[in-house]
Amino acid sequence: MRWPLAAALVAAMLAAPLLAQQQEPFEPEGYRTDNYRAPVPATLEGARVLTTAEVEAIWRSKSGAFIDVLPRAPKPKNLPAGTVWRDMPRRNIPGSIWLPDTGYGALAPAMDDYLQRGFIQASHGNKATLLVIYCLADCWMSWNAAKRALAYGYSNIAWYPEGTDGWEHAKLPTEDAQPEPRPEQ
């Protein structure tokens, strides 16, 4: 009787790491504040989670506003004279508003205001407008930004966790993007 029990315990201990690897990350209570490029949860309480096909249907029907929150390094203010600065190019879903650096777990007051103004611009002041928020695949920035939209009182939030990686993988069109002007930091 003891051997079958011991064998079952050993089998369970060996299987535990495999099960832990297969489980999706859970939703944190607050915002994710580090390791932003990591597997994301399958859910966001209060928001719809969209597939690429669903996002494409919304985009084609023009029934939602698209917000990209991919970070972008600002030009350093103290560059030596004559230094060439080239921003990294960004291609995103056509018609999107790009609000870089708004998906961090903690936002400075100026960036929080910037994000709120961006949501107002995208929604035309209507908190019931469908907002589709994205970044890249396995990027917590879009999860954080979508969670913030819910906290700001927006009621029709959709999170696209595959972001432009999923969009481009489906061979859907993209366009060169420029971010909305950021506040001085």
Side-chain angles (χ1 to χ4, degrees):
M1 195 75 154
R2 290 184 186 175
W3 283 107
L5 178 59
L9 287 173
V10 169
M13 288 179 5
L14 292 174
L18 292 175
L19 290 174
Q21 288 175 354
Q22 293 173 350
Q23 291 178 352
E24 301 208 8
F26 64 93
E27 286 189 43
E29 279 188 41
Y31 300 103
R32 176 74 173 242
T33 59
D34 63 3
N35 196 19
Y36 294 106
R37 287 304 306 270
V40 295
T43 59
L44 173 54
E45 186 177 343
R48 289 188 298 163
V49 179
L50 302 177
T51 65
T52 299
E54 292 167 322
V55 171
E56 180 185 7
I58 292 166
W59 178 74
R60 291 197 185 281
S61 68
K62 299 181 182 349
S63 58
F66 288 76
I67 299 171
D68 178 9
V69 298
L70 181 75
R72 183 179 199 181
K75 180 179 180 179
K77 293 179 182 178
N78 60 350
L79 283 179
T83 302
V84 175
W85 174 261
R86 291 193 175 100
D87 287 316
M88 292 292 295
R90 173 70 172 148
R91 296 191 59 80
N92 62 20
I93 298 169
S96 296
I97 293 174
W98 184 14
L99 302 171
D101 303 318
T102 56
Y104 289 105
L107 294 179
M111 289 307 290
D112 186 67
D113 182 61
Y114 171 69
L115 178 60
Q116 289 190 54
R117 285 185 284 116
F119 286 156
I120 290 167
Q121 177 186 347
S123 69
H124 303 287
N126 180 353
K127 289 193 172 188
T129 296
L130 173 59
L131 298 179
V132 179
I133 300 172
Y134 69 95
C135 182
L136 301 172
D138 288 330
C139 180
W140 282 82
M141 297 274 180
S142 57
W143 190 92
N144 282 343
K147 185 173 179 115
R148 272 202 177 84
L150 293 165
Y152 297 154
Y154 288 86
S155 60
N156 198 1
I157 299 303
W159 172 48
Y160 178 36
E162 294 178 49
T164 50
D165 293 331
W167 188 262
E168 289 175 337
H169 181 77
K171 301 198 182 332
L172 293 165
T174 59
E175 66 181 8
D176 288 333
Q178 289 300 315
E180 292 298 309
R182 291 195 287 201
E184 292 299 317
Q185 297 178 359

